[in-house]
Amino acid sequence: MKTAGFFLSAALLLSACASPSPSPDAQLNSRIKQDIARTAGIGNASGINVESSRGIVVLTGFLESEQQRQDAAQTALKVSGVQQVFNNIQVLKPTSSGQ
């Protein structure tokens, strides 16, 4: 029985080491990305990259309008743990269909 308990303990210890929990910054990035994706009017948030360090957030990527850009920054700022947002999202220029 002691051997079985030892192996079970060793297996639990190894599994805990093999799958560390995400860092606080990674968790914050995920929450911001999820909230931006749920924000009405922004559409698909896949074009937005989120990086953070100790509550300082940098948004990069591309959106279709200035309003979407502003909404993304405001949404990020409302997430718990965010202290400051640098909004480097670029607004895509509409392409002309006639040349």
Side-chain angles (χ1 to χ4, degrees), residues 13 55 57 80:
L13 180 63
V57 176
S80 177

Side-chain angles (χ1 to χ4, degrees), residues 1-85:
M1 277 314 247
K2 286 185 179 181
T3 306
F6 172 78
F7 285 117
L8 180 59
S9 296
L12 289 173
L13 180 63
L14 288 175
S15 67
C17 291
S19 58
S21 61
S23 71
D25 289 334
Q27 292 174 356
L28 184 61
N29 292 349
S30 179
R31 287 197 318 266
I32 293 167
K33 188 90 168 179
Q34 289 172 358
D35 284 4
I36 289 174
R38 285 188 228 135
T39 301
I42 292 182
N44 187 352
S46 65
I48 300 173
N49 299 309
V50 179
E51 295 294 328
S52 67
S53 178
R54 299 180 182 176
I56 308 300
V57 176
V58 179
L59 302 176
T60 58
F62 298 93
L63 287 172
E64 295 178 6
S65 72
E66 181 60 30
Q67 186 62 52
Q68 289 176 326
R69 179 182 180 278
Q70 291 175 11
D71 289 348
Q74 288 301 314
T75 299
L77 198 53
K78 292 178 186 176
V79 174
S80 177
V82 173
Q83 297 174 14
Q84 189 173 11
V85 175

